[in-house]
Amino acid sequence: MEEVGQVALFDPWSDYLLPEADFYLVRTTGIYRNDLDLMFIKTLLTNKVANPHDVLKRFRSKPTQFDWFEEKDVPSLPWMSIKGGDLINIERFFRLYPKVVVKPHVGQGGWGIEALSWDEFKTWWKKKKGVDEDYLIQPLVRDARELRYFFIKGQKPIVFERTAKSGIVANFQREGAATVVDFPAEHQSVIDTLINASGAHYGAIDLFIHEDGRLSILELNTVPGIQQLEKVSNQNVIKLLLESLGRP
């Protein structure tokens, strides 16, 4: 609100009438596990939002964006949705990857992410099955650099390396630390291709750089948090975003 002055806040889950405006900055996510907000966004003209409806919808959940990654040959980690699954098929995944990271289909700020062995997973699954199965599993990766590549089309990207002070989640709200770094030039073409194909005007790409130099894309977040980003970079990110859109 500091950057735009007069502003109307609209919460699709508690408000009913979308206020008239020249431009809408979307900060909603799928954390409520329904797409009521996307229904409102779909009614808006594309030039009234930074990231259009189809982009927000595609990258809202991990399964939809991971399917898209595979379709576009984006280098990413193996994954398996456990919704409606059975322990036999899930165990096969664990035979390949003895320890996995469990992630909610739709998450925010590292919520719901855990690293589990097979025995730990079976205990976890007993509590979740039939109650809350909207999760997937991926191999737990150790000894890799975790980077966040924040981009705004037409602006210089901000890249920082994230580390977790405890646990597995390199998250600012969970006492994670971050340092601005240069992005490896040998992987720039992959990032450029991903951004151009995504249709996103701005967003944050989370990725691993493995010890052998390989790159794995973890996620493309089209409604990224900015608190850590602004603190680490000392830049007014919302102001840069509005300027890139020709907004005063």
Side-chain angles (χ1 to χ4, degrees):
M1 294 194 299
E2 177 184 342
E3 286 78 14
V4 299
Q6 292 291 329
V7 64
L9 300 180
F10 174 72
D11 179 354
W13 294 279
S14 60
D15 301 327
Y16 297 98
L17 295 177
L18 184 68
E20 286 292 330
D22 294 329
F23 185 74
Y24 298 85
L25 182 61
V26 180
R27 299 302 300 159
T28 57
T29 70
I31 194 68
Y32 292 145
R33 300 194 181 191
N34 69 53
D35 290 337
L36 182 60
D37 56 332
L38 292 183
M39 292 171 59
F40 283 95
I41 295 167
K42 193 173 183 179
T43 68
L44 302 175
L45 297 175
T46 299
N47 64 358
K48 284 199 168 190
V49 291
N51 283 328
H53 171 269
D54 61 329
V55 172
L56 294 170
K57 183 177 181 180
R58 178 186 303 125
F59 295 104
R60 163 159 290 186
S61 81
K62 292 178 178 63
T64 56
Q65 69 168 281
F66 288 177
D67 281 337
W68 186 85
F69 285 169
E70 293 176 2
E71 177 187 337
K72 300 296 183 180
D73 293 323
V74 174
S76 55
L77 297 177
W79 66 282
M80 175 183 178
S81 176
I82 60 175
K83 184 174 183 177
D86 58 73
L87 284 180
I88 294 176
N89 287 327
I90 296 172
E91 185 180 12
R92 289 172 180 164
F93 194 91
F94 271 90
R95 290 175 184 170
L96 296 173
Y97 312 104
K99 195 152 189 176
V100 306
V101 174
V102 179
K103 301 178 179 180
H105 285 182
V106 178
Q108 180 177 339
W111 169 82
I113 297 178
E114 297 184 59
L116 302 173
S117 65
W118 172 237
D119 288 337
E120 291 168 335
F121 177 86
K122 287 187 289 184
T123 300
W124 180 92
W125 184 236
K126 286 180 181 179
K127 299 176 183 177
K128 295 290 186 180
K129 189 173 183 180
V131 179
D132 179 13
E133 299 184 8
D134 290 335
Y135 288 81
L136 56 82
I137 52 178
Q138 289 185 296
L140 174 65
V141 175
R142 300 186 186 276
D143 301 322
R145 298 174 64 200
E146 183 175 349
L147 306 184
R148 168 159 282 203
Y149 187 106
F150 180 84
F151 66 91
I152 300 174
K153 284 195 172 180
Q155 300 275 357
K156 184 179 179 180
I158 302 170
V159 184
F160 52 93
E161 184 167 356
R162 292 148 53 112
T163 57
K165 294 182 179 179
S166 62
I168 61 168
V169 181
N171 181 268
F172 185 59
Q173 302 296 340
R174 294 171 179 259
E175 299 185 346
T179 306
V180 174
V181 297
D182 293 325
F183 189 72
E186 63 269 25
H187 296 304
Q188 189 62 55
S189 63
V190 175
I191 298 300
D192 292 342
T193 299
L194 171 57
I195 293 173
N196 290 332
S198 72
H201 180 78
Y202 84 108
I205 302 170
D206 292 331
L207 58 99
F208 280 145
I209 303 292
H210 300 271
E211 283 189 314
D212 60 4
R214 290 181 299 110
L215 175 147
S216 293
I217 302 295
L218 299 175
E219 183 177 4
L220 170 52
N221 189 333
T222 53
V223 190
I226 63 168
Q227 184 179 3
Q228 182 186 42
L229 181 65
E230 292 194 329
K231 184 172 183 177
V232 172
S233 67
N234 292 317
Q235 296 191 58
N236 188 323
V237 172
I238 293 299
K239 184 177 180 180
L240 291 175
L241 175 59
L242 294 175
E243 288 176 353
S244 75
L245 296 162
R247 301 288 164 175

